[in-house]
Each structure stands twice: as structure tokens, then as C-alpha cells.
Amino acid sequence: MKKAFRPAFTATIPVLCGYLFIGFAFGVMLRDIGFGSIWSFFCSLSIYAGSGQYLLVSLLAAKASLVTVAVMTLLLNCRHIFYGLSFLETFHEMGHRKWYMIFSLTDETYSLLCSVKTPEGIDAGDMRFWIAMLDHSYWILGGMLGTIIGGILPFDTTGIDFAMTSLFTVIFVEQWQSTKCHIPALMGLAAAAVSLAILGPDNFILPAMLAICVMLVAMRGRLAKEVA
């Protein structure tokens, strides 16, 4: 287990940089509506969904009901269901740790788990577990720093959320360069572009994910040959 920590930490450095900034922004926003670092800690520990936590700030400020919070969070983060489907067998092999792996499967963790290569002599399950744990700890740390420092040094955080877009771009480029088969990536880009053009930026994610899943299932035979 300990042997997997160093390569896992190295793999998660891009997420560390992104999560500290994005988590920090969340902490500042939470502080602005009257919640301190202890609330940031438990929100990040138990919710652990970047977009969901940003939504939570707005809902808390509006004094929304628990039902509204639950429904909105489900709709916003239901794309994670598709992530989990591709790791059913992988997580099942990890024993009791699978429950935490299912919980911790954020966008960035999913991207890393899909692209990371386990060094020789390192257990793949241990490395996946460390990646999930480290990413989660980065988010918690960023949120707590935001509530603590944001209360002491108020400042304008306009544009700080672009760090997550940059992080996705870096991960996409690394995945593109690590494989010769670019068909899945091109299908994903095409589905996202068409869905965005038709439905707009607020409603395109779920339809795009559905389209990608359908295309991948339909072409699984050919893709398996291409990857092989």
C-alpha cells in the first residue's frame, strides 16, 4: 500500500493545482454566506462534487428546502453514473474499498483512473485508491483554506474557476498523446459540440454523455480491435 503512494501523488499533481484553486473559491463563497471552515470541511468530505458544492452555496443562500437540494444535486451530477459503469469490474476487484471508490469518482479522478499507468511492482488497486484519497484531500484542503484565508483577506475571485477548464484540457491532451486510437475522443468531442449547439451550455452535458455511451456501445467491437 505504501509503495503506491509516491506514483499516485505524482499522477495527481495536476489535480492538486486545480483543486486547491477551485476548492479555495468554494470556501470563499461559503464564507461569504456565513459558514466557517468546519462547514467547508464537512461539505467537502461528504458531498465531494465541485459543481454540486457550488450549487449548494446558491441553494443555502436562497434557503432552499432539503428536497430541492437533493433533486438539483442529482440532476447536476447524474453524469457520474456513466463514469461508474465503466469501472464496475475494476472496483469489484478492490474488495471493501470499492465503496469509497464509487463515492470518490469525480470528473478529475475518473480521468486519472482512465489514463494512469501503474508502475511495475505496484499494485494497481492500491494506486487507484491512493489517487482517489489524495484528490479528495486536495479538495477538502482547498475549501478549508478558502474559508480561513477568505475571512482574513477578502479579494476578488473572478475567473478563478477557469483553473478547472485548464485542468481538463491538460488531462485530455495527455490521454490523446498516450494512445494511437483517437476515435473515442473524436466521438466525444463531436457529441459535445452538437449537443452544445442544439441545447446550449446549461443543458448539453447529459445528452452528450448519453450520445457518447450509445456510440461507444455500438462501436465496441471495432474499438476493441483498434486498441488491441
Side-chain angles (χ1 to χ4, degrees), residues 8 15 37 61 96 116 127 136-137 189 199 211 219:
V15 179
S37 57
H96 63 277
V116 71
M127 186 164 176
H136 195 180
S137 66
L189 289 173
L199 301 173
M219 298 186 64

Side-chain angles (χ1 to χ4, degrees), residues 43-57:
C43 284
S44 300
L45 179 68
S46 58
I47 302 172
Y48 189 34
S51 53
Q53 289 183 227
Y54 278 102
L55 174 66
L56 176 66
V57 173

Side-chain angles (χ1 to χ4, degrees), residues 129-141:
F129 187 69
W130 272 121
I131 287 174
M133 288 279 289
L134 287 168
D135 285 353
H136 195 180
S137 66
Y138 301 154
W139 182 263
I140 294 173
L141 177 61

Side-chain angles (χ1 to χ4, degrees), residues 8 10-16 87 106-117 128 131-132 135 138 167 171 174-175:
T10 302
T12 59
I13 289 177
V15 179
L16 168 62
F87 278 103
T106 62
D107 299 331
E108 297 73 29
T109 301
Y110 174 77
S111 298
L112 279 180
L113 294 179
C114 287
S115 61
V116 71
K117 295 182 179 179
R128 293 189 190 101
I131 287 174
D135 285 353
Y138 301 154
L167 174 60
I171 292 175
E174 288 182 348
Q175 290 183 333

